[in-house]
Amino acid sequence: MATFLLIHGAWHSGQVWDRVSPLLESAGHRVFAPTLTGYGDKAHLLGPEVGLHTHIDDVTGLIEHERLDDVVLVGHSYAGMVISGVANRLPERIAHLVFLDAMVPEDGETAVDVLPVTKQLVDLAVDGWRVPPMPEQPPPLGLFGVTDPDDIAWLRSMLSDQPVRCLVEPVRLDNPAARTIPRTHIHCVGGRPAGITRRPVPAGERTRELPTGHDCMVTTPVELAGLLRDTA
């Protein structure tokens, strides 16, 4: 059975995987869904010094502390930046990378480079360093693609501010071994906000689709768990 390491995106916390983790565990897999520095129950650690490399350190530290090997490393949204950096540092520990409706950077790029619309968030940051969660929009966009009122209330309870440094700090991807790790891209193809575009998926990398909004772990956990099991 596989070891899944599920990494949440910007503003979220590890709690967002609560509907997916039991489905993987019931199939016999081992699952970790940490909360990164500055979010959820670690929101008290939020500060202008928290950046992309802080979160890469969080995940590499967990892998090393738990002595994890053959990891299926899943990154949602902004966490595509994080898992790319982790794979660059510890390619020998990673069996598969899953970019879940995620940013997919090249060497030296920032989140703003990958998704230029993010620059608007940086420009509007409170106190120059933190970005509040995105506001709810009319359906079909909702709150990160979540439109059910009960789901929105649950999701909103776990959101916290996003540090700007996460969005402007470049990722180092200079380890050739990391490019040999198999990759799967899962695209959420429900309603998408204006200005959100995807880069073409390189030849030889798998692509799967979910007919739902961005936070598919909230809206379609059963379907998502099935796609993740296929990567193990």
Side-chain angles (χ1 to χ4, degrees):
M1 293 291 102
T3 296
F4 284 91
L5 182 46
L6 311 176
I7 309 303
H8 65 82
W11 298 288
H12 293 57
S13 75
Q15 184 184 359
V16 79
W17 301 104
D18 281 1
R19 297 178 179 179
V20 177
S21 295
L23 300 173
L24 296 174
E25 291 170 338
S26 67
H29 301 296
R30 191 180 186 194
V31 181
F32 294 84
T35 293
L36 302 176
T37 297
Y39 306 102
D41 60 3
K42 298 180 181 177
H44 62 288
L45 300 176
L46 182 69
E49 73 285 352
V50 173
L52 173 60
H53 290 113
T54 308
H55 297 151
I56 294 172
D57 289 344
D58 287 342
V59 180
T60 56
L62 175 60
I63 291 172
E64 291 174 332
H65 181 264
E66 297 289 342
R67 300 179 181 179
L68 304 182
D69 287 300
D70 297 322
V71 174
V72 179
L73 183 56
V74 182
H76 177 241
S77 195
Y78 153 74
M81 304 289 295
V82 179
I83 68 170
S84 296
V86 172
N88 193 69
R89 291 191 191 176
L90 299 175
E92 71 282 359
R93 301 287 190 93
I94 311 302
H96 205 111
L97 288 172
V98 180
F99 292 87
L100 179 57
D101 219 34
M103 298 180 181
V104 186
E106 298 293 338
D107 183 34
E109 287 190 322
T110 68
V112 172
D113 294 323
V114 179
L115 194 64
V117 71
T118 305
K119 179 64 163 56
Q120 299 175 21
L121 302 178
V122 173
D123 292 341
L124 296 174
V126 177
D127 300 327
W129 67 268
R130 59 186 177 89
V131 181
M134 301 290 286
E136 182 182 345
Q137 301 180 63
L141 299 178
L143 183 63
F144 297 105
V146 178
T147 57
D148 179 85
D150 290 340
D151 287 345
I152 287 175
W154 180 63
L155 177 59
R156 194 182 300 281
S157 72
M158 70 184 77
L159 299 179
S160 54
D161 289 353
Q162 171 75 3
V164 162
R165 191 168 181 177
C166 296
L167 307 176
V168 299
E169 204 166 52
V171 65
R172 179 64 60 84
L173 305 177
D174 57 357
N175 188 341
R179 293 302 309 177
T180 68
I181 301 171
R183 294 182 173 203
T184 294
H185 303 259
I186 300 177
H187 294 162
C188 298
V189 295
R192 295 181 67 79
I196 304 297
T197 59
R198 295 189 182 96
R199 293 176 170 179
V201 174
E205 299 183 10
R206 296 196 304 174
T207 303
R208 300 290 184 266
E209 293 185 347
L210 284 171
T212 188
H214 186 55
D215 276 10
C216 56
M217 67 288 293
V218 176
T219 56
T220 56
V222 173
E223 294 82 353
L224 174 59
L227 292 180
L228 293 179
R229 287 195 296 268
D230 286 344
T231 68

